[in-house]
Amino acid sequence: AAPSPRPPRFGGIGRRSYRESMDTLRVGAFLTDPPFAGLVGGGFDVDLAAAVGAALGLSVERFATEAPDVDDLLSSLAAGAYDCVVGAVTVTADRQRTVVFAQPYLVSGHALAVNAARHPAVRSVDDLGGLTVAVRRGSAGHSLAKRLHADGRVGAVRCFAYGDIHSAASELEAGACDAMMALAPTLTELVRSLPDVDVVQRGLSREEIAIAVAPGDAALAAQIATAQERLEADGSLQEFRRKWLGNPYRDQSLAAH
Protein backbone atom coordinates (compact mmCIF):
# COMPACT_ATOMS: atom_id res chain seq x y z
CA ALA A 1 0.00 0.00 0.00
CA ALA A 2 1.12 3.55 -0.64
CA PRO A 3 2.57 5.29 2.42
CA SER A 4 0.28 7.63 4.33
CA PRO A 5 0.76 11.31 3.47
CA ARG A 6 2.70 13.47 5.89
CA PRO A 7 0.24 15.12 8.26
CA PRO A 8 -0.36 18.83 7.67
CA ARG A 9 1.53 21.30 9.83
CA PHE A 10 -0.02 24.25 11.55
CA GLY A 11 1.39 27.56 12.74
CA GLY A 12 5.19 27.83 12.94
CA ILE A 13 6.65 24.54 14.07
CA GLY A 14 3.39 22.82 13.32
CA ARG A 15 1.70 22.78 16.71
CA ARG A 16 -1.92 23.84 16.87
CA SER A 17 -4.01 24.41 19.94
CA TYR A 18 -7.35 22.85 20.74
CA ARG A 19 -8.49 26.40 21.35
CA GLU A 20 -8.29 26.98 17.60
CA SER A 21 -11.16 25.87 15.43
CA MET A 22 -10.56 22.24 14.51
CA ASP A 23 -12.84 19.54 13.22
CA THR A 24 -10.36 16.66 12.95
CA LEU A 25 -8.27 14.98 15.62
CA ARG A 26 -4.93 13.97 14.09
CA VAL A 27 -3.78 10.78 15.79
CA GLY A 28 -0.26 9.41 15.46
CA ALA A 29 0.13 5.67 15.91
CA PHE A 30 1.89 2.50 14.88
CA LEU A 31 -0.76 0.94 12.67
CA THR A 32 0.56 -2.64 12.84
CA ASP A 33 0.60 -3.23 16.56
CA PRO A 34 -1.84 -6.00 17.54
CA PRO A 35 -4.10 -6.04 19.47
CA PHE A 36 -3.97 -2.25 19.63
CA ALA A 37 -4.14 -1.82 15.84
CA GLY A 38 -3.72 -3.78 12.64
CA LEU A 39 -6.29 -6.52 13.27
CA VAL A 40 -9.45 -7.34 11.35
CA GLY A 41 -11.94 -4.88 12.76
CA GLY A 42 -9.25 -2.49 13.95
CA GLY A 43 -7.89 -2.81 17.48
CA PHE A 44 -8.06 -1.44 20.99
CA ASP A 45 -6.45 1.90 20.17
CA VAL A 46 -8.47 2.26 16.97
CA ASP A 47 -11.69 1.98 18.99
CA LEU A 48 -10.36 4.25 21.73
CA ALA A 49 -9.28 7.01 19.34
CA ALA A 50 -12.63 6.90 17.54
CA ALA A 51 -14.52 7.07 20.83
CA VAL A 52 -12.45 9.98 22.14
CA GLY A 53 -12.91 11.85 18.86
CA ALA A 54 -16.66 11.29 18.98
CA ALA A 55 -16.77 12.53 22.57
CA LEU A 56 -14.97 15.70 21.46
CA GLY A 57 -17.21 16.14 18.44
CA LEU A 58 -14.27 15.60 16.08
CA SER A 59 -13.59 13.25 13.20
CA VAL A 60 -10.44 11.17 13.62
CA GLU A 61 -7.63 10.82 11.13
CA ARG A 62 -4.98 8.24 12.01
CA PHE A 63 -1.48 8.63 10.62
CA ALA A 64 0.89 5.71 10.27
CA THR A 65 4.32 6.59 11.56
CA GLU A 66 7.63 5.45 10.19
CA ALA A 67 9.35 6.31 13.48
CA PRO A 68 11.68 3.54 14.62
CA ASP A 69 10.51 3.75 18.22
CA VAL A 70 8.01 5.42 20.54
CA ASP A 71 10.36 8.21 21.58
CA ASP A 72 10.77 9.38 17.98
CA LEU A 73 6.99 9.28 17.58
CA LEU A 74 6.57 11.41 20.72
CA SER A 75 9.16 13.88 19.47
CA SER A 76 7.05 14.34 16.34
CA LEU A 77 4.01 14.85 18.54
CA ALA A 78 5.82 17.51 20.58
CA ALA A 79 6.79 19.27 17.33
CA GLY A 80 3.16 19.41 16.22
CA ALA A 81 2.92 16.64 13.64
CA TYR A 82 -0.13 15.19 15.44
CA ASP A 83 -2.68 16.35 17.99
CA CYS A 84 -2.19 13.26 20.12
CA VAL A 85 -0.71 9.79 20.05
CA VAL A 86 -2.87 6.75 20.78
CA GLY A 87 -0.44 3.91 20.22
CA ALA A 88 0.09 1.66 23.25
CA VAL A 89 2.54 4.23 24.63
CA THR A 90 3.91 3.36 28.05
CA VAL A 91 4.40 6.19 30.54
CA THR A 92 7.96 6.80 31.71
CA ALA A 93 9.63 9.64 33.59
CA ASP A 94 11.69 10.56 30.52
CA ARG A 95 8.63 10.69 28.29
CA GLN A 96 6.78 12.85 30.80
CA ARG A 97 9.44 15.48 30.19
CA THR A 98 8.54 15.50 26.48
CA VAL A 99 4.75 15.15 26.40
CA VAL A 100 1.68 15.26 28.64
CA PHE A 101 -0.15 12.02 29.38
CA ALA A 102 -3.81 11.53 30.14
CA GLN A 103 -4.64 9.07 32.89
CA PRO A 104 -3.64 5.51 31.93
CA TYR A 105 -6.30 3.58 30.05
CA LEU A 106 -4.56 0.24 30.49
CA VAL A 107 -2.10 -1.42 32.85
CA SER A 108 0.02 -4.13 31.26
CA GLY A 109 3.52 -5.56 31.38
CA HIS A 110 6.19 -7.27 29.37
CA ALA A 111 6.27 -10.97 28.70
CA LEU A 112 8.71 -13.52 27.31
CA ALA A 113 8.09 -15.88 24.40
CA VAL A 114 10.44 -18.62 23.20
CA ASN A 115 10.74 -21.02 20.34
CA ALA A 116 9.74 -24.00 22.48
CA ALA A 117 10.54 -26.51 19.75
CA ARG A 118 14.19 -25.45 19.87
CA HIS A 119 14.41 -24.51 23.56
CA PRO A 120 11.87 -26.53 25.55
CA ALA A 121 13.74 -25.96 28.82
CA VAL A 122 13.43 -22.16 28.70
CA ARG A 123 10.65 -21.10 31.04
CA SER A 124 11.81 -17.68 32.24
CA VAL A 125 14.45 -14.98 31.79
CA ASP A 126 16.65 -17.04 34.13
CA ASP A 127 17.06 -19.63 31.35
CA LEU A 128 18.29 -17.31 28.58
CA GLY A 129 22.03 -17.75 28.99
CA GLY A 130 23.75 -17.78 25.60
CA LEU A 131 20.51 -17.13 23.70
CA THR A 132 19.50 -14.25 21.43
CA VAL A 133 16.51 -12.17 22.51
CA ALA A 134 14.49 -9.95 20.17
CA VAL A 135 13.03 -6.70 21.52
CA ARG A 136 11.48 -3.49 20.32
CA ARG A 137 13.94 -0.61 20.27
CA GLY A 138 13.39 1.79 23.16
CA SER A 139 10.86 -0.40 24.99
CA ALA A 140 10.95 -1.55 28.60
CA GLY A 141 11.76 -4.98 27.19
CA HIS A 142 14.81 -3.47 25.49
CA SER A 143 15.99 -2.02 28.81
CA LEU A 144 15.48 -5.34 30.58
CA ALA A 145 17.30 -7.26 27.85
CA LYS A 146 20.24 -4.84 28.01
CA ARG A 147 20.51 -5.38 31.77
CA LEU A 148 20.38 -9.15 31.34
CA HIS A 149 23.05 -8.95 28.66
CA ALA A 150 25.29 -6.78 30.83
CA ASP A 151 24.96 -9.38 33.59
CA GLY A 152 25.89 -12.19 31.21
CA ARG A 153 22.43 -13.75 31.44
CA VAL A 154 21.61 -13.26 27.74
CA GLY A 155 23.86 -14.08 24.82
CA ALA A 156 22.77 -11.25 22.51
CA VAL A 157 20.02 -8.68 22.02
CA ARG A 158 18.44 -7.97 18.64
CA CYS A 159 16.56 -4.69 18.31
CA PHE A 160 13.68 -4.21 15.91
CA ALA A 161 11.96 -1.00 14.93
CA TYR A 162 8.40 -0.74 16.22
CA GLY A 163 6.93 -1.23 12.77
CA ASP A 164 8.96 -4.42 12.28
CA ILE A 165 7.37 -6.29 15.17
CA HIS A 166 5.89 -8.93 12.84
CA SER A 167 9.35 -9.55 11.38
CA ALA A 168 10.68 -10.18 14.86
CA ALA A 169 8.00 -12.81 15.47
CA SER A 170 8.75 -14.44 12.11
CA GLU A 171 12.46 -14.62 12.94
CA LEU A 172 11.62 -16.17 16.29
CA GLU A 173 9.61 -18.85 14.54
CA ALA A 174 12.35 -19.43 11.96
CA GLY A 175 15.09 -19.69 14.58
CA ALA A 176 16.96 -16.49 13.71
CA CYS A 177 16.49 -15.54 17.35
CA ASP A 178 15.64 -17.68 20.35
CA ALA A 179 13.29 -15.56 22.44
CA MET A 180 11.34 -12.33 22.33
CA MET A 181 10.16 -9.79 24.90
CA ALA A 182 7.27 -7.37 24.29
CA LEU A 183 4.11 -6.09 25.93
CA ALA A 184 2.10 -9.16 26.87
CA PRO A 185 -1.02 -8.36 24.78
CA THR A 186 1.10 -7.74 21.68
CA LEU A 187 3.29 -10.78 22.22
CA THR A 188 0.28 -13.04 22.80
CA GLU A 189 -1.35 -11.88 19.58
CA LEU A 190 1.84 -12.15 17.53
CA VAL A 191 2.58 -15.76 18.48
CA ARG A 192 -1.01 -16.97 18.44
CA SER A 193 -0.58 -18.57 15.01
CA LEU A 194 2.98 -19.83 15.57
CA PRO A 195 2.77 -23.46 16.73
CA ASP A 196 6.38 -23.70 17.92
CA VAL A 197 6.36 -20.48 19.93
CA ASP A 198 4.99 -20.15 23.47
CA VAL A 199 4.62 -17.26 25.90
CA VAL A 200 6.37 -18.69 28.94
CA GLN A 201 6.59 -15.77 31.38
CA ARG A 202 4.52 -12.68 32.11
CA GLY A 203 4.80 -9.83 34.56
CA LEU A 204 8.37 -8.86 33.67
CA SER A 205 7.41 -5.20 34.11
CA ARG A 206 4.42 -3.09 35.07
CA GLU A 207 3.49 -0.55 32.43
CA GLU A 208 0.87 2.18 32.40
CA ILE A 209 -0.38 2.92 28.89
CA ALA A 210 -1.86 6.33 28.13
CA ILE A 211 -2.78 8.84 25.44
CA ALA A 212 -0.03 11.43 24.87
CA VAL A 213 -0.54 15.10 24.01
CA ALA A 214 2.04 17.79 23.24
CA PRO A 215 2.93 19.84 26.34
CA GLY A 216 1.66 23.09 24.81
CA ASP A 217 -1.83 21.70 24.21
CA ALA A 218 -3.19 21.93 27.76
CA ALA A 219 -6.76 22.56 26.56
CA LEU A 220 -6.77 19.47 24.36
CA ALA A 221 -5.19 17.38 27.12
CA ALA A 222 -7.96 18.44 29.50
CA GLN A 223 -10.67 17.65 26.95
CA ILE A 224 -9.19 14.20 26.25
CA ALA A 225 -8.98 13.50 29.98
CA THR A 226 -12.65 14.42 30.40
CA ALA A 227 -13.66 12.31 27.40
CA GLN A 228 -11.74 9.34 28.76
CA GLU A 229 -13.40 9.71 32.17
CA ARG A 230 -16.80 9.59 30.49
CA LEU A 231 -15.84 6.51 28.48
CA GLU A 232 -14.72 4.83 31.69
CA ALA A 233 -17.92 5.82 33.50
CA ASP A 234 -20.29 4.60 30.79
CA GLY A 235 -18.47 1.28 30.38
CA SER A 236 -17.17 1.90 26.86
CA LEU A 237 -13.51 1.72 27.82
CA GLN A 238 -14.03 -1.48 29.77
CA GLU A 239 -15.85 -2.96 26.80
CA PHE A 240 -12.78 -2.22 24.63
CA ARG A 241 -10.61 -4.02 27.19
CA ARG A 242 -12.87 -7.06 27.15
CA LYS A 243 -13.20 -7.06 23.36
CA TRP A 244 -9.51 -6.86 22.50
CA LEU A 245 -7.75 -8.20 25.59
CA GLY A 246 -10.26 -10.33 27.44
CA ASN A 247 -9.55 -8.09 30.44
CA PRO A 248 -12.29 -8.46 33.07
CA TYR A 249 -11.01 -5.73 35.40
CA ARG A 250 -12.51 -2.26 35.59
CA ASP A 251 -9.94 -1.60 38.33
CA GLN A 252 -6.73 -1.60 36.30
CA SER A 253 -4.62 -2.09 39.44
CA LEU A 254 -5.83 -5.70 39.29
CA ALA A 255 -4.91 -6.18 35.63
CA ALA A 256 -2.33 -8.76 34.64
CA HIS A 257 -1.75 -8.82 30.89
Side-chain angles (χ1 to χ4, degrees):
S4 298
R6 182 179 297 277
R9 301 178 69 82
F10 295 78
I13 63 171
R15 184 176 296 160
R16 63 176 183 173
S17 169
Y18 185 72
R19 290 184 296 272
E20 299 175 30
S21 175
M22 57 186 284
D23 56 12
T24 301
L25 186 68
R26 301 170 302 154
V27 177
F30 298 100
L31 297 189
T32 56
D33 189 15
F36 300 97
L39 296 177
V40 174
F44 189 113
D45 286 341
V46 177
D47 282 356
L48 177 59
V52 168
L56 297 179
L58 302 173
S59 62
V60 173
E61 188 169 6
R62 290 172 58 84
F63 291 96
T65 178
E66 297 180 358
D69 57 42
V70 166
D71 294 321
D72 278 357
L73 175 60
L74 295 182
S75 293
S76 295
L77 168 67
Y82 318 106
D83 298 313
C84 65
V85 166
V86 188
V89 177
T90 56
V91 180
T92 69
D94 285 343
R95 290 171 183 169
Q96 287 176 313
R97 288 189 279 269
T98 303
V99 299
V100 174
F101 287 100
Q103 65 269 41
Y105 61 84
L106 184 69
V107 175
S108 187
H110 276 70
L112 173 71
V114 300
N115 187 317
R118 299 178 65 239
H119 303 289
V122 175
R123 308 305 299 170
S124 77
V125 294
D126 295 327
D127 305 319
L128 294 175
L131 302 183
T132 298
V133 180
V135 295
R136 273 180 153 172
R137 184 181 295 114
S139 67
H142 187 190
S143 298
L144 175 58
K146 288 193 294 185
R147 291 197 299 271
L148 292 171
H149 185 254
D151 292 341
R153 297 168 61 191
V154 164
V157 178
R158 288 197 60 190
C159 295
F160 288 81
Y162 262 61
D164 291 337
I165 189 67
H166 287 278
S167 297
S170 296
E171 294 203 12
L172 176 59
E173 180 185 32
C177 57
D178 305 300
M180 180 176 173
M181 285 191 284
L183 280 175
T186 297
L187 194 59
T188 299
E189 192 64 39
L190 286 171
V191 307
R192 188 184 303 278
S193 62
L194 307 180
D196 292 336
V197 178
D198 294 331
V199 177
V200 297
Q201 188 178 17
R202 300 175 185 268
L204 295 175
S205 67
R206 183 184 186 277
E207 310 292 340
E208 295 184 342
I209 299 173
I211 297 174
V213 180
D217 287 340
L220 177 58
Q223 290 289 335
I224 286 177
T226 299
Q228 191 173 311
E229 289 170 1
R230 291 174 180 168
L231 293 171
E232 191 75 82
D234 71 12
S236 298
L237 190 48
Q238 184 57 18
E239 179 56 33
F240 299 156
R241 297 188 190 109
R242 288 196 183 98
K243 175 182 177 181
W244 297 106
L245 306 175
N247 174 9
Y249 300 113
R250 180 180 291 274
D251 180 357
Q252 281 296 284
S253 68
L254 301 174
H257 302 295

